[in-house]
C-alpha cells in the first residue's frame, strides 16, 4: 500500500485529508496569478498546507483505503498506522516525499514542516491548463521615414506672400455666411427648447393634479419561501449487502432518536446507512465525535 498515492487522489475531490495520529493536508483555492517580472500567468489552483493539529480520524482516508484494497475499515486503519510509523522513522533521518503533494521534513525545533509541490495542481477546474509565458510589450517610437528636410534662406524669409483681392473677398463672405448660419441655428434651438420646456411643465401640472381612487384594493399576499439546505456530509453507521438489513438499521436508529436514512451504495455495492446528515463539515464532525464516544467507534464521516 502506498498511502501517499491515496492522499494524492483524495485531494482532487476533498478540501481536507486527515492522516490519523499524524496531521492533515488542507487545500485552499486561489485565483490565477500574473508575474510581472517573469511575464508568466499561472492558472487557478489549490494551495496545499499541512496542519499537525488535525489528527482525529474522520474516516475519509480509511474508507477510501478499505474500498480500494477491498479490506475492512479496521484493517485499513491499521495499515495507515503502520505507514505513519514508517514516516515518523524516516523523518528522523531526512524527509518524506508524499507523492505529487509535497515533501515533509523536521525543522530545528523537531516540528514537521511541509513544502508543497509547485508543479502539481489539484483543482479539477484547471485540468489541462499550464503556465503561460508572454513576451514583454515595450513602447515603440514612431519613426517617419524619408521625411523631406525643409531649408529656408534669408531671401525666402523676406518674401511677402501676396493674396489676390478676389480670394480675400471670398474668405470674408464665407466668414459672414458661417456666422449668420450659426446664429440662426442658435436662435431656432433656443425657441425649440423653450417650447419643449413649456410642454413638459404643462404635463407635470396635469400629472400632479391627477388623483387615483381604488374602491376595492387587492388583499396583501404573504409568501413564505423556505430555502432547502443541501446536506452533503453524512455520518455513516454501517454498510449492508441486503436492503432488508439496511432498512432494519434505519428503523433501529430512528427509534433511538436519530434522523437516519439510506445515502446510497458505495464502490463495493453495499448500501450505506447514516445516523444523520449535515450541511456543514464542522457540524458533522462535532456530531461524529459524540457518536464515536457514546454509541459507535466505527462511525465515520462521508462527504457526498
Amino acid at each position: 500500500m502506498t498511502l501517499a498515492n491515496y492522499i494524492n487522489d483524495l485531494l482532487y475531490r476533498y478540501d481536507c485529508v486527515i492522516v490519523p495520529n499524524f496531521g492533515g493536508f488542507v487545500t485552499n483555492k486561489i485565483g490565477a496569478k500574473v508575474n510581472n517580472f517573469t511575464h508568466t500567468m499561472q492558472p487557478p489552483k489549490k494551495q496545499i498546507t499541512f496542519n499537525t493539529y488535525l489528527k482525529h480520524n474522520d474516516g475519509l482516508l480509511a474508507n477510501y483505503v478499505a474500498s480500494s484494497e477491498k479490506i475492512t475499515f479496521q484493517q485499513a486503519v491499521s495499515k495507515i498506522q503502520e505507514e505513519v510509523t514508517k514516516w515518523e522513522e524516516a523523518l528522523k533521518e531526512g524527509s518524506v516525499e508524499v507523492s505529487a503533494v509535497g515533501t515533509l521534513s523536521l525543522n530545528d525545533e523537531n516540528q514537521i514542516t511541509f513544502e508543497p509541490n509547485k508543479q502539481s495542481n489539484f483543482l479539477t477546474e484547471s485540468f489541462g491548463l499550464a503556465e503561460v509565458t508572454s513576451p514583454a510589450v515595450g513602447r515603440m517610437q514612431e519613426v517617419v521615414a524619408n521625411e523631406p528636410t525643409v531649408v529656408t534662406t534669408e531671401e525666402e524669409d523676406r518674401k511677402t506672400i501676396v493674396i489676390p483681392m478676389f480670394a480675400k473677398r471670398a474668405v470674408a463672405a464665407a466668414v459672414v455666411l458661417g456666422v449668420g448660419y450659426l446664429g440662426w441655428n442658435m436662435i431656432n434651438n433656443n425657441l425649440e427648447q423653450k417650447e419643449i420646456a413649456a410642454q413638459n411643465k404643462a404635463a407635470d401640472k396635469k400629472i400632479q393634479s391627477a388623483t387615483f381612487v381604488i374602491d376595492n384594493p387587492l388583499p396583501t399576499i404573504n409568501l413564505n419561501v423556505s430555502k432547502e439546505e443541501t446536506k452533503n456530509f453524512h455520518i455513516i453507521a454501517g454498510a449492508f449487502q441486503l436492503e432488508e438489513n439496511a432498512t432494519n438499521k434505519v428503523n433501529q436508529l430512528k427509534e433511538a432518536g436519530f434522523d437516519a436514512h439510506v445515502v446510497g451504495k458505495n464502490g463495493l455495492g453495499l448500501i450505506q446507512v447514516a445516523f444523520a446528515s449535515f450541511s456543514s463539515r464542522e457540524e458533522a464532525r462535532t456530531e461524529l465525535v459524540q457518536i464515536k464516544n457514546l454509541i459507535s467507534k466505527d462511525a465515520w464521516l462521508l462527504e457526498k
Side-chain angles (χ1 to χ4, degrees):
M1 180 193 72
T2 304
L3 183 61
N5 291 337
Y6 293 138
I7 297 173
N8 184 82
D9 295 342
L10 290 173
L11 285 174
Y12 281 102
R13 291 179 284 173
Y14 298 94
D15 296 331
C16 179
V17 178
I18 297 177
V19 181
N21 301 321
F22 186 76
F25 295 91
V26 183
T27 66
N28 181 30
K29 183 178 178 180
I30 58 176
K33 288 186 177 181
V34 177
N35 193 323
N36 296 326
F37 296 97
T38 60
H39 308 292
T40 57
M41 182 176 66
Q42 297 177 347
K45 63 184 304 184
K46 278 186 177 180
Q47 187 179 32
I48 302 179
T49 58
F50 182 77
N51 190 336
T52 56
Y53 296 101
L54 298 176
K55 297 182 179 182
H56 182 73
N57 185 10
D58 62 353
L60 176 63
L61 181 59
N63 182 63
Y64 184 68
V65 173
S67 300
S68 301
E69 300 193 1
K70 294 181 174 56
I71 58 178
T72 64
F73 184 83
Q74 292 299 332
Q75 289 174 337
V77 172
S78 299
K79 285 198 171 188
I80 293 174
Q81 187 58 46
E82 292 176 2
E83 191 77 8
V84 168
T85 303
K86 294 179 181 179
W87 283 7
E88 292 175 344
E89 293 296 328
L91 286 173
K92 295 178 181 179
E93 300 179 358
S95 60
V96 174
E97 185 176 353
V98 186
S99 186
V101 181
T103 305
L104 297 169
S105 59
L106 295 178
N107 58 14
D108 297 336
E109 299 177 356
N110 206 30
Q111 296 176 341
I112 299 177
T113 60
F114 174 70
E115 180 66 26
N117 187 347
K118 297 181 180 180
Q119 303 300 324
S120 300
N121 190 349
F122 292 92
L123 185 64
T124 55
E125 300 172 4
S126 300
F127 181 78
L129 299 179
E131 184 179 90
V132 178
T133 303
S134 176
V137 179
R139 297 180 179 273
M140 298 179 62
Q141 271 190 329
E142 184 178 358
V143 178
V144 181
N146 301 326
E147 183 177 2
T149 303
V150 180
V151 181
T152 59
T153 62
E154 294 181 0
E155 183 179 355
E156 291 177 346
D157 293 338
R158 289 194 300 267
K159 291 183 179 179
T160 305
I161 299 176
V162 180
I163 302 177
M165 183 58 67
F166 71 88
K168 294 181 179 180
R169 293 178 179 176
V171 172
V175 172
V176 172
L177 290 176
V179 172
Y181 179 75
L182 179 61
W184 178 251
N185 280 343
M186 292 178 62
I187 294 173
N188 284 338
N189 291 336
N190 290 335
L191 291 176
E192 290 178 358
Q193 291 178 0
K194 289 181 179 180
E195 184 177 356
I196 292 173
Q199 292 176 358
N200 292 337
K201 187 175 182 181
D204 291 339
K205 289 182 178 180
K206 291 181 180 180
I207 293 174
Q208 293 175 2
S209 61
T211 58
F212 301 90
V213 178
I214 301 176
D215 296 332
N216 297 317
L218 295 175
T220 303
I221 300 176
N222 296 324
L223 297 178
N224 295 324
V225 180
S226 60
K227 182 178 179 182
E228 184 178 356
E229 293 183 346
T230 303
K231 298 181 178 181
N232 296 327
F233 302 94
H234 316 278
I235 300 178
I236 301 301
F240 305 89
Q241 186 175 4
L242 298 179
E243 185 176 356
E244 180 181 358
N245 294 338
T247 303
N248 292 336
K249 186 64 174 179
V250 171
N251 295 333
Q252 178 185 356
L253 294 177
K254 285 185 176 180
E255 291 178 358
F258 292 97
D259 187 16
H261 59 278
V262 174
V263 297
K265 295 183 178 180
N266 59 14
L268 300 178
L270 300 179
I271 304 173
Q272 294 177 312
V273 175
F275 283 97
S277 299
F278 303 88
S279 57
S280 68
R281 185 192 301 272
E282 291 75 12
E283 187 179 3
R285 284 183 174 176
T286 301
E287 185 68 19
L288 176 63
V289 173
Q290 296 180 359
I291 291 175
K292 289 175 73 69
N293 292 335
L294 301 177
I295 300 174
S296 175
K297 295 182 179 180
D298 296 332
W300 56 279
L301 181 63
L302 171 66
E303 181 179 355
K304 187 176 181 180

